[in-house]
Amino acid sequence: MENNKDLLQIDFKNRTLNSPGDSAPSMYNSTNGGGGDMNNKDFVTHKEFNNAMHNIDKHFDHIDTKFAEQTLGLYKAMVSVGLGVIAILGFLITLVTFLK
């Protein structure tokens, strides 16, 4: 800390026009409760956001259900093929032992 000329000097007192306890400028705190232009389509309300999230959750639930059904179908098919292979091998072993 010997060489202070290399340090960035910032005057924090003059960084804002507000004093502690003052309200924010009107461009951020308008009287309509939302601030700024709430008719702008880039902004959504909490209700709109929650509805959109609910719809997305419903779609994910639908996809999860389909995935679970497909996984169950795959397991059933694998068990069926396995049992078929075991039955065929059992029959061949019985046939070989009978022909000896």
Side-chain angles (χ1 to χ4, degrees):
M1 290 296 211
E2 297 173 9
N3 199 358
N4 286 337
K5 67 179 180 174
D6 293 335
L7 297 177
L8 180 63
Q9 298 295 322
I10 300 175
D11 184 12
F12 287 104
K13 288 188 237 175
N14 295 324
R15 289 198 48 105
T16 181
L17 300 175
N18 295 346
S19 298
D22 287 350
S23 62
S26 62
M27 62 183 277
Y28 301 116
N29 189 18
S30 65
T31 58
N32 66 5
D37 181 13
M38 292 307 290
N39 292 325
N40 187 340
K41 297 300 178 190
D42 291 336
F43 300 111
V44 296
T45 63
H46 287 285
K47 185 177 180 180
E48 291 171 330
F49 179 76
N50 289 336
N51 287 340
M53 289 295 107
H54 179 70
N55 288 337
I56 290 172
D57 284 342
K58 284 194 309 188
H59 288 293
F60 275 110
D61 288 342
H62 179 71
I63 290 169
D64 286 343
T65 303
K66 285 187 136 199
F67 182 72
E69 290 171 356
Q70 289 176 349
T71 304
L72 182 61
L74 180 64
Y75 289 151
K76 287 180 181 178
M78 288 171 41
V79 168
S80 298
V81 168
L83 289 174
V85 167
I86 291 171
I88 291 170
L89 287 175
F91 174 74
L92 289 176
I93 290 171
T94 305
L95 185 64
V96 167
T97 56
F98 180 71
L99 292 176
K100 278 187 178 181

